[in-house]
Amino acid sequence: MDERQFRNERHPRPSHEEFVKQQPFIQDSGQTQQRFQPAAYSAQEEYERSTYDSEHSETHRRMSPGHAEEPPSTNKRSKLVKIGAAVLVGLALLYVLPIPLGDMRVTGSDKVTLEDVKVAGNIDEPVNLLKVRTEKLKDRLSKDLRVEEAQISYEFPLTMVVNIVERRAIAVIPSQFGYLTLDKTGQVVASEPAITATNVPIISGVKTGNILLGDTITNPDILAALTYLNALSRDGFKNIAEVNIGDPDNLLAYTVNGLQLRLGNSQDLAKKAELSESMIKDIETRKVNAQYIDVNLTSPYIKAQ
């Protein structure tokens, strides 16, 4: 339907006689002549006509061969690309320029300081967390003999928390030039001319050769003693002062009170550690004056004096 048909249907034209009657006569230059004014439309009709004209004009403009309009999706994609580019440029500047971004904190250790962590991670001042390579930092810290494990987390808004799990000394053994402190894996974490770790048991009955700081013990008898000590609870560990491995088939342990524990060979040492703790507690509860304890898994007994 074209515009003319649309208007005729919505606003039918009056007949010529009705149209003439509706129009006033206007005097012009002394002559009487008929000049007609078009019939006035109501406000609603004017609105409908203007709306139709606007839509018709817009449709015609869009369908014209020379017109090309970008779809909304293209405009939106262009804006997103610009925003993404701006973000990338900003991140690149933060990464390259010496701009402070974030903070660092060390927990879990009094021995490993924040400065130690910065040196291990090759972190310069001012601290910029975007430049910190966390996996490399954890790997470097794990090579520190004081550190068993490094855990990295983040706190709001921009704080890196480096939690240090300290390497725990578990035994001391005599060496060629003094005493070596071992961790639970048998790695040498300290080397001193005299015993300094008085809160850990000493493994006696053996003397190592030229073992250096950072080396790991491979002697099977020493590793057997470490297996026994590792199987003890915290409280049980505090009760043991010495493990003698001079005779591998007759291992001996001694409490801090001097009570002897006969462990036998190196088989089932984890179970023997559990049984040792139980028997020591039984002696303390019953207040038995014991001479020694035979930690025999088949028939354990306490030898009273």
Side-chain angles (χ1 to χ4, degrees), residues 173 180 182 185-188 208 211 215-219 222-223:
I173 59 173
L180 305 175
L182 307 180
T185 65
Q187 185 175 20
V188 180
T208 60
I211 297 178
D215 291 346
T216 300
I217 298 295
T218 58
N219 184 302
I222 296 176
L223 294 179

Side-chain angles (χ1 to χ4, degrees), residues 171-187:
V172 174
I173 59 173
S175 68
Q176 185 175 358
F177 302 105
Y179 292 87
L180 305 175
T181 301
L182 307 180
D183 73 349
K184 64 181 181 181
T185 65
Q187 185 175 20

Side-chain angles (χ1 to χ4, degrees), residues 177-207:
F177 302 105
Y179 292 87
L180 305 175
T181 301
L182 307 180
D183 73 349
K184 64 181 181 181
T185 65
Q187 185 175 20
V188 180
V189 296
S191 177
E192 303 290 344
I195 295 178
T196 57
T198 57
N199 59 338
V200 297
I202 182 171
I203 299 176
S204 60
V206 66
K207 192 168 185 178

Side-chain angles (χ1 to χ4, degrees), residues 110-263:
D110 296 329
K111 300 176 183 178
V112 181
T113 66
L114 179 59
E115 191 61 31
D116 293 332
V117 172
K118 290 180 180 179
V119 171
N122 196 23
I123 301 170
D124 299 324
E125 293 287 349
V127 174
N128 187 333
L129 295 185
L130 289 178
K131 298 181 181 180
V132 178
R133 299 172 60 184
T134 55
E135 291 302 320
K136 182 178 179 180
L137 176 60
K138 289 167 64 176
D139 181 65
R140 292 284 298 274
L141 287 172
S142 67
K143 292 179 172 58
D144 190 320
L145 294 178
R146 300 168 296 176
V147 179
E148 181 176 317
E149 183 184 4
Q151 302 166 345
I152 297 178
S153 60
Y154 293 89
E155 290 183 356
F156 183 83
L158 282 172
T159 300
M160 174 185 285
V161 180
V162 182
N163 184 56
I164 301 296
V165 179
E166 289 186 347
R167 199 179 296 275
R168 177 188 168 208
I170 198 171
V172 174
I173 59 173
S175 68
Q176 185 175 358
F177 302 105
Y179 292 87
L180 305 175
T181 301
L182 307 180
D183 73 349
K184 64 181 181 181
T185 65
Q187 185 175 20
V188 180
V189 296
S191 177
E192 303 290 344
I195 295 178
T196 57
T198 57
N199 59 338
V200 297
I202 182 171
I203 299 176
S204 60
V206 66
K207 192 168 185 178
T208 60
N210 186 23
I211 297 178
L212 303 177
L213 187 66
D215 291 346
T216 300
I217 298 295
T218 58
N219 184 302
D221 297 329
I222 296 176
L223 294 179
L226 293 178
T227 299
Y228 176 79
L229 294 173
N230 280 320
L232 295 169
S233 67
R234 288 272 183 175
D235 292 335
F237 180 81
K238 293 177 182 179
N239 274 329
I240 303 300
E242 180 185 349
V243 178
N244 186 287
I245 58 174
D247 183 355
D249 292 325
N250 294 283
L251 303 178
L252 301 173
Y254 295 89
T255 68
V256 292
N257 296 324
L259 179 63
Q260 184 186 81
L261 290 78
R262 299 181 179 182
L263 304 177

